[in-house]
Amino acid sequence: MDLFVDKLLPALLGLLAGIVGSLIAPWVNWRIEKKRSKQQSRKELIDNARKFLASKEWV
């Protein structure tokens, strides 16, 4: 039991943390990129609307 607590348990916990981290990190990165893409699209839409309103085409 002493061997398990001293050596195997920390090794298993480290392995588990590595697996969880490797699965969660790409998902978090994907969510961040998705938000950036949405924000960029909104900025482009607002810029285009401002340019259109500044021009004489809409009158």
Side-chain angles (χ1 to χ4, degrees), residues 33-47:
E33 290 300 321
K34 183 179 173 183
K35 285 185 179 186
R36 282 184 186 155
S37 176
K38 251 185 177 177
Q39 187 177 19
Q40 182 63 30
S41 296
R42 288 177 182 159
K43 283 181 181 180
E44 289 174 4
L45 178 65
I46 291 170
D47 286 343

Side-chain angles (χ1 to χ4, degrees), residues 13-39:
L13 290 176
L15 178 65
L16 182 63
I19 291 171
V20 170
S22 69
L23 294 175
I24 291 176
W27 180 77
V28 170
N29 190 34
W30 173 78
R31 293 281 298 191
I32 291 170
E33 290 300 321
K34 183 179 173 183
K35 285 185 179 186
R36 282 184 186 155
S37 176
K38 251 185 177 177
Q39 187 177 19

